[in-house]
Amino acid sequence: MRRLDIHLAADERFDTVQRAIKASEPVDYYILDTERKDRKLISVFIREGMEQTLMDNVQTALEGANGWRISILPIEATAPKLEEARQGKQQKATQATREEIYSDVATGARFDRNFFVMVVLSTIVAAIGLNSDGVAAVIGAMVIAPLLGPVLGFSMGAALGDDALLKRASVTLAAGIGTALACSLLLSFVLPIDLESRELMSRAEVRLDGLALAMAAGGAAALSLTSSQASALVGVMVAAALLPPGAAVGLFMGAGEWALALRACLLLALNVAALILSALIVFRLRRIRPRSWIEQKNANRAVLLNAVLSGLVLIASVALILYLDLGDKVSIG
């Protein structure tokens, strides 16, 4: 169960909002007067799965008005126990509201000092772990890597047709990857590169099973986000698909191993495209879309464009993988 607090003016729209609340069949609701006589506070207790419908209806009723706000609060427990939903009524799947998801994603897609420091620290840990063949260090870098946020932000921006979020996530993702490359490149001049390290050389092995891993990780991350479930494990999976190959690119470049750097860069590009595409698919399947039909039309175009671009990157990456593998076989033969 959730609680929605609706702050609004006590004008002619108040009755419309009240009708929208009653139509959503809330568990309970009450109306409070505030210190300002022209303001009202409505607290609505509603079953999970109905929050988005109520929020959309209230926002539609208040469209064009000023000075209103809706806040969502979780209810950890309640007594007496809630009755089960009435038979014959389809129970909607539990899902975070569009506004909750947007708030989480927008925060993670922001490039700030903390994001920069976390990328630098995780790259240092990853580069040392890769070069020394230290599995524990690489896993540690996966845990602290913050690259999950901008990936989901890009997919969310495409799903909603939100150009501002798309641009912010794109800049943050590019800045994060660029920082990781620059940091690992600088480390390559300090660390003697060990080409015998299995952890390092595995990031130059581009295989199609890595595509399946990245697709699964991106889909799991988006599903975790929309279901309001803990995403720590998913964050590790996504970081594993992005940060280690990014750090490997810088190390190989610093060592002058351009062929290996190309392979690691190809793996990085393939993973980014797969993560974005799979997360975008999950957002669409979970019906994460704008409220108005005009915004939905723009979102559909953004989804189609980004899906096509991601698909083209995947196809090009797979084709290049097959070409490189064929070249290796020919040279060996």
Side-chain angles (χ1 to χ4, degrees):
M1 186 171 69
R2 302 285 187 87
R3 191 182 99 194
L4 272 67
D5 285 350
I6 307 170
H7 306 255
L8 73 164
D11 55 14
E12 66 277 2
R13 301 193 187 212
F14 178 80
D15 294 333
T16 304
V17 171
Q18 197 170 1
R19 286 195 295 271
I21 293 172
K22 292 179 180 178
S24 67
E25 298 186 3
V27 175
D28 195 6
Y29 77 96
Y30 58 86
I31 302 172
L32 295 176
D33 293 322
T34 65
E35 293 181 356
R36 295 171 55 184
K37 297 185 181 299
D38 60 338
R39 304 280 299 173
K40 295 283 188 180
L41 169 62
I42 308 178
S43 287
V44 185
F45 297 87
I46 193 164
R47 297 178 187 274
E48 291 188 0
M50 294 297 296
E51 312 98 311
Q52 190 66 72
T53 300
L54 177 57
M55 287 197 67
D56 288 347
N57 291 340
V58 171
Q59 289 181 79
T60 300
L62 294 174
E63 196 163 9
N66 297 319
W68 59 272
R69 184 166 299 280
I70 304 174
S71 304
I72 304 177
L73 296 88
I75 302 295
E76 299 295 336
T78 184
K81 184 174 66 173
L82 287 176
E83 296 180 3
E84 296 294 331
R86 277 187 257 171
Q87 292 183 356
K89 280 209 161 189
Q90 187 176 2
Q91 186 73 13
K92 294 189 177 180
T94 300
Q95 178 173 315
T97 63
R98 177 179 57 247
E99 289 75 13
E100 289 175 295
I101 299 171
Y102 187 94
S103 178
D104 292 338
V105 168
T107 300
R110 185 174 57 237
F111 183 78
D112 53 18
R113 182 188 302 173
N114 290 336
F115 181 88
F116 175 78
V117 171
M118 291 294 282
V119 170
V120 171
L121 293 178
S122 58
T123 302
I124 293 173
V125 174
I128 294 176
L130 290 172
N131 194 56
S132 62
D133 205 16
V135 178
V138 176
I139 293 176
M142 296 174 187
V143 173
I144 63 177
L147 297 178
L148 172 62
V151 169
L152 292 177
F154 189 94
S155 298
M156 184 72 173
L160 295 178
D162 190 325
D163 292 337
L165 182 58
L166 266 173
K167 292 177 182 178
R168 187 193 318 165
S170 300
V171 171
T172 302
L173 181 59
I177 294 176
T179 300
L181 292 176
C183 187
S184 58
L185 181 61
L186 292 175
L187 285 173
S188 69
F189 297 116
V190 178
L191 299 174
I193 305 302
D194 181 13
L195 297 180
E196 299 297 323
S197 169
R198 177 58 189 162
E199 284 294 318
L200 178 60
M201 295 305 295
S202 66
R203 269 62 191 189
E205 297 176 359
V206 186
R207 300 182 302 183
L208 295 182
D209 57 355
L211 172 62
L213 172 63
M215 292 289 291
L223 185 61
S224 174
L225 185 66
T226 58
S227 302
S228 296
Q229 297 176 355
S231 59
L233 180 59
V234 178
V236 173
M237 294 171 64
V238 175
L242 289 181
L243 189 70
V249 173
L251 292 177
F252 286 136
M253 290 175 61
E257 298 289 343
W258 299 105
L260 295 176
L262 175 61
R263 284 181 171 272
C265 187
L266 180 60
L267 176 61
L268 177 62
L270 186 146
N271 286 339
V272 170
L275 289 168
I276 290 175
L277 181 60
S278 59
L280 183 57
I281 291 173
V282 170
F283 283 143
R284 295 297 287 182
L285 292 177
R286 297 285 283 180
R287 298 185 181 277
I288 305 299
R289 58 187 62 184
R291 179 169 53 89
S292 69
W293 70 270
I294 295 178
E295 292 175 332
Q296 289 180 14
K297 190 174 181 180
N298 295 332
N300 290 336
R301 285 198 295 265
V303 167
L304 179 60
L305 176 61
N306 285 280
V308 169
L309 291 177
S310 298
L312 290 176
V313 171
L314 289 177
I315 294 173
S317 299
V318 171
L320 190 51
I321 290 171
L322 297 176
Y323 174 77
L324 291 175
D325 289 343
L326 180 61
D328 290 343
K329 292 178 181 179
V330 172
S331 61
I332 292 175

